[in-house]
Amino acid sequence: GCLALSLLLGWRIVGVAIRGAPPLVRALPLSLAMLTPLVTEGSMVVDIDNTTLLVSLLLVMWSYLKPGDPSTPRRVAELSLWLGLALWSKLTTPFLLMVSLAAYAALGPRPVRSVMAIVLASVAAVALFAAAYWAYCRLLSYPAAVMFDISYLGKKSLYA
């Protein structure tokens, strides 16, 4: 399911990024990207990092690359939601995409406005994630720091 959705989203992204190109030209970069071992394995292994991360990152890229001005309030809000979803999938990779999108925006028309839109969307996404995570922890009486202690700092182990 996730591989099929990833292929569909990838086709849409490449179609937007290479406008007017024949289908065969659009299929080549998609094939190279989607058929690499890490992408195919990652989209078929049942784990949140692998299955939802690819789809959420593709949704972020599609949201930014689709036709129209990506710096309108509606598009910034949409990008924020997709970036927030990506943060729920994996807390590290979306930050790299945020920086990459800002660098890409800096090379386009109206670079200051475009980069500011990415920064605003990124800050909003982090705020949405933090608010949702805080509510989750409060609702379930879950100590918020445990995830970071175990996952990122290596201070504790669930199995030791």
Side-chain angles (χ1 to χ4, degrees):
C2 285
L3 181 59
L5 183 57
S6 298
L7 286 169
L8 177 66
L9 286 169
W11 181 255
R12 294 288 298 157
I13 291 167
V14 172
V16 167
I18 310 175
R19 291 182 188 98
L24 187 58
V25 172
R26 289 191 308 234
L28 182 62
L30 177 64
S31 299
L32 292 174
M34 292 297 171
L35 297 178
T36 59
L38 289 176
V39 172
T40 54
E41 177 187 357
S43 62
M44 290 188 274
V45 173
V46 180
D47 184 20
I48 191 166
D49 287 359
N50 298 325
T51 52
T52 62
L53 180 63
L54 178 61
V55 172
S56 64
L57 292 178
L58 287 170
L59 285 167
V60 168
M61 292 188 317
W62 176 74
S63 174
Y64 185 76
L65 292 174
K66 66 184 179 180
D69 183 4
S71 61
T72 63
R74 183 174 193 267
R75 292 280 294 275
V76 170
E78 178 185 333
L79 185 61
S80 299
L81 291 174
W82 293 128
L83 280 168
L85 174 67
L87 285 170
W88 271 105
S89 297
K90 187 161 184 95
L91 202 50
T92 53
T93 309
F95 288 106
L96 297 172
L97 185 57
M98 292 174 195
V99 172
S100 299
L101 285 175
Y104 180 80
L107 298 174
R110 297 183 297 164
V112 173
R113 179 181 169 135
S114 299
V115 170
M116 291 308 296
I118 297 296
V119 169
L120 180 61
S122 299
V123 168
V126 170
L128 285 171
F129 171 81
Y133 183 68
W134 178 81
Y136 168 79
C137 291
R138 295 283 299 192
L139 181 66
L140 298 176
S141 300
Y142 182 77
V146 167
M147 179 182 79
F148 300 102
D149 288 343
I150 293 171
S151 299
Y152 296 104
L153 300 179
K155 291 182 182 177
K156 300 177 186 173
S157 173
L158 291 175
Y159 307 107

